[in-house]
Amino acid sequence: MNITDIAASPAAAAVAGPEVIAAVVEQIGGEFSRDTIELDVLRPDEVRVRIHASGICATDLAVQAGKTPFPLPGILGHEGAGVIEEVGAAVNALAPGDRVVMTFDSCGQCEPCLAARPVQCVNWFALNMGSGTRLDGSLTTRRCTGRALHGHFFGQSSFATHAICSQRSVVKVETDTDFAVLAPLGCSGQTGAGSVWNLLRPEPGSSVIIYGGGAVGLMAVLAAQLTPARQVIVVDRVESRLDLARELGATVTVNAGTDDVATAVNDATEGRGADRALETTGNMTVLRQAVDLLAVSGVCVVVGAPPTGSEVAFDVQEMLVRHPTIIGVSQGLARPRQIIPALVELHEAGRFPAEKLITAFPFDQINEAVTAAKQGEVIKPVLTMR
């Protein structure tokens, strides 16, 4: 592996489970601080996971900065991987000792869930981001002093040594792949790859342009180079990320800091524009450019998350002439139980080398990892808990 190692609510139920170590954000703008917490007892449909690794995602940092809503103090983290220690009475497809990748939660009962579209669950926001609790308002975590502590972030709160998850938010994987490689597959991996395979669906001879060479963008490059697309174009401002994009399969790279992006894209596509585009940056100017540089009947998938309330304007007359399709999506419209094992198999076959994006940090260096991510020194920092 080419991984770089660098040394509540008053109505919430009482908790009485094992004590664990967690990294807690007390308030907007605050650093992560080590704390000993307690986990609730398992519900019948839940599992307790001993976390071995957790990726740090831009969404975690957006919550820390107050750009994305989540109640604090709280435990973030939503790219966990580890081993199941205990299962609830109603869990029959998972068992202690199973290696799992953790992902978002879903209710399992609404129409989209029953139609195998869990990311469109009608309770998705409440379960993953809105409340920091289970759907019934009960907490999965609290401080040993008894004070409320919001958790259940994306159904897991994986910045901890252990987490309680519903059985729907863990995916069993039959592999001995390093947990540090497995962890990002539950968000960055399935978002990048799912967006390409489920929504962009490049046709033979088509062009795909990916805006942003971060973890999601480069996971998308890995997915796109497995399709019949003729061109995979990556736009970013960091030359080292563009170098890696070329190594991973990008056929054209554009430095938005030094190059004229429109000219470069038109040159690469012989004036047609891109057939498919993926916007990962959350920058509204970039989103407008991504749509403007589409070919006629092109498709732009939007996964970059700007601050709440962000808006972008489009030229309607131009849209009537050029017929663009603009799709906003979370998690690449992925079905975790389908895509995560597929990504693991591709990785084992050497066809999805996600380890090239990863830098591992010990759990107690979480603030250093966050700083490195914010400064662009690493692409995908992953915390290791052992």
Side-chain angles (χ1 to χ4, degrees):
M1 302 274 177
N2 185 28
I3 300 175
T4 302
D5 282 313
I6 301 180
S9 161
V15 289
E19 290 188 357
V20 304
I21 304 300
V24 177
V25 174
E26 299 288 346
Q27 59 191 7
I28 291 174
E31 289 194 337
F32 292 91
S33 59
R34 179 187 176 97
D35 202 351
T36 302
I37 66 165
E38 294 176 338
L39 297 182
D40 194 4
V41 295
L42 290 183
R43 301 287 176 86
D45 66 338
E46 293 178 334
V47 301
R48 187 178 74 246
V49 179
R50 168 69 169 94
I51 300 171
H52 287 258
S54 178
I56 297 176
C57 177
T59 305
D60 300 309
L61 306 186
V63 171
Q64 182 190 29
K67 296 178 180 179
T68 296
F70 185 76
L72 300 177
I75 305 170
L76 305 178
H78 62 284
E79 289 185 338
V83 176
I84 291 179
E85 287 190 339
E86 183 182 359
V87 301
V91 177
N92 51 32
L94 298 164
D98 286 346
R99 292 165 63 94
V100 293
V101 173
M102 301 154 74
T103 186
F104 63 87
D105 199 7
S106 56
C107 74
Q109 300 177 348
C110 66
E111 182 177 347
C113 283
L114 295 174
R117 301 194 310 272
V119 78
Q120 295 177 333
C121 172
V122 299
N123 296 300
W124 195 93
F125 184 77
L127 280 168
N128 293 284
M129 298 184 70
S131 63
T133 69
R134 297 184 180 96
L135 200 56
D136 65 3
S138 62
L139 293 167
T140 57
T141 59
R142 72 181 298 162
R143 299 179 193 271
C144 295
T145 59
R147 293 169 55 206
L149 184 62
H150 297 96
H152 207 260
F153 186 58
F154 277 75
Q156 50 186 283
S157 285
S158 58
F159 290 168
T161 56
H162 298 73
I164 289 177
C165 309
S166 83
Q167 60 183 330
R168 292 175 298 280
S169 62
V170 297
V171 178
K172 180 179 177 180
V173 289
E174 302 282 356
T175 181
D176 59 0
T177 298
D178 194 311
F179 284 112
V181 175
L182 294 175
L185 300 183
C187 179
S188 298
Q190 71 180 10
T191 297
S195 296
V196 172
W197 295 337
N198 297 332
L199 296 165
L200 293 182
R201 298 181 179 180
E203 297 176 349
S206 64
S207 56
V208 177
I209 183 165
I210 297 166
Y211 292 88
V216 172
L218 293 180
M219 293 285 192
V221 171
L222 290 175
Q225 55 89 26
L226 295 173
T227 73
R230 180 174 64 89
Q231 288 183 313
V232 179
I233 305 166
V234 177
V235 179
D236 199 277
R237 290 179 172 272
V238 181
E239 196 60 39
S240 61
R241 294 187 173 195
L242 296 174
D243 291 341
L244 181 55
R246 288 190 292 272
E247 180 183 341
L248 298 178
T251 57
V252 178
T253 57
V254 182
N255 189 321
T258 59
D259 303 330
D260 183 283
V261 176
T263 298
V265 171
N266 284 322
D267 287 348
T269 61
E270 300 177 341
R272 294 184 61 253
D275 298 299
R276 302 288 186 267
L278 178 64
E279 203 301 296
T280 73
T281 71
N283 183 298
M284 296 299 92
T285 300
V286 175
L287 173 56
R288 172 63 191 264
Q289 183 177 64
V291 175
D292 287 346
L293 293 179
L294 286 175
V296 174
S297 299
V299 177
C300 179
V301 170
V302 184
V303 299
T308 301
S310 297
E311 298 180 354
V312 62
F314 296 109
D315 185 325
V316 176
Q317 285 285 0
E318 190 73 7
M319 294 179 74
L320 296 178
V321 172
R322 301 190 64 80
H323 309 170
T325 298
I326 305 169
I327 305 171
V329 70
S330 178
Q331 302 290 314
L333 202 65
R335 303 177 191 175
R337 281 182 171 74
Q338 176 190 64
I339 196 169
I340 290 174
L343 292 174
V344 171
E345 289 183 12
L346 286 167
H347 177 267
E348 290 180 329
R351 301 174 65 196
F352 199 88
E355 74 277 1
K356 293 185 178 182
L357 282 61
I358 292 167
T359 303
F361 291 79
F363 186 30
D364 61 5
Q365 292 184 16
I366 182 171
N367 289 307
E368 290 85 346
V370 167
T371 297
K374 290 179 178 178
Q375 294 179 350
E377 297 171 0
V378 300
I379 293 172
K380 171 54 66 174
V382 175
L383 304 173
T384 55
M385 280 66 169
R386 62 186 190 282

